[in-house]
Amino acid sequence: MTRKPLIAGNWKMNATHLEAIQMVQKLSYRLDPDDYERVDVAVFPAFTALRSAQTVIETDHLAISLGAQDVDWRAQGAFTGAVSAPMLAALGVRFVIVGHSERRAVFGDTEAEVGKKTRAVVEGGMTPIVAVGESLEQRDAGHTTSVITSQLRAGVKGLESDAVARSVIAYEPVWAIGTGRTADPDTASEAIAALRDEIASSHGDGAAAAVRILYGGSVNPGNIAAFMAKRQIDGALVGGASLDPDQFAAVIRYWI
Ligand code: PGA
């Protein structure tokens, strides 16, 4: 089973729609058709920039996928400030991050809500990127595997095996996000292997072999190759380094 690598740029709360247009264009100038053959590339602008990014991607026929950073699990109704999966799907969004640690820690997203969001994304015909990760205290207490497998179980609860096979999981240790401190590739690979085992027992060996599992947390052009050298690691969810098109392109072209 070969899994095509995915390099996903999570822009978080950065970039107006005008800046997003430039970022997508600049990224595209730095990539060539071979790069897209080897790697799936996706960018995750803020909600306000999705329409503009979509327009650039479609007008210039770019092989860059559009992603959203979050979603509400309800389809519509009196939920001020919320954005639903059908709204994202209508913008050509292909990937949606659910359960990012900033959503869990800052906005209080619970494991049960993350599961509902994942199901809403799948029902909307899009691909969820289910983010899981342990805090430093949890790691130091030796609880990494139990924390991340519990988050994963809740995140994919109720999904059919073929939906899990097409999904993406991102292992992002909380202490590595935005800190400049990465997990070492062996440690990340072990955690990812534990996540794959969890999928094997919950959804079968076929889903476990097919699901793409990314590493995230302070990925940059200097460290990406060491992660990609690990058989278990199928790509990266990149925050800070995805804001600079030069750096993000260098991460995408990790073999160079
Ligand atoms: P970072 O963020 O690359 O800035 O550490 C990763 C993420 O939060 O997805």
Side-chain angles (χ1 to χ4, degrees), residues 138-158:
Q138 290 164 330
R139 167 159 291 274
D140 289 344
H143 296 155
T144 298
T145 306
S146 63
V147 168
I148 64 177
T149 52
S150 158
Q151 290 175 341
L152 180 60
R153 249 193 315 278
V156 298
K157 194 171 163 201

Side-chain angles (χ1 to χ4, degrees), residues 10 12 100 102 172 176-178 217-219 237-240:
N10 173 13
K12 310 193 178 183
H100 189 280
E102 287 149 18
E172 299 202 299
I177 295 177
S218 296
V219 169
L237 184 53
V238 187

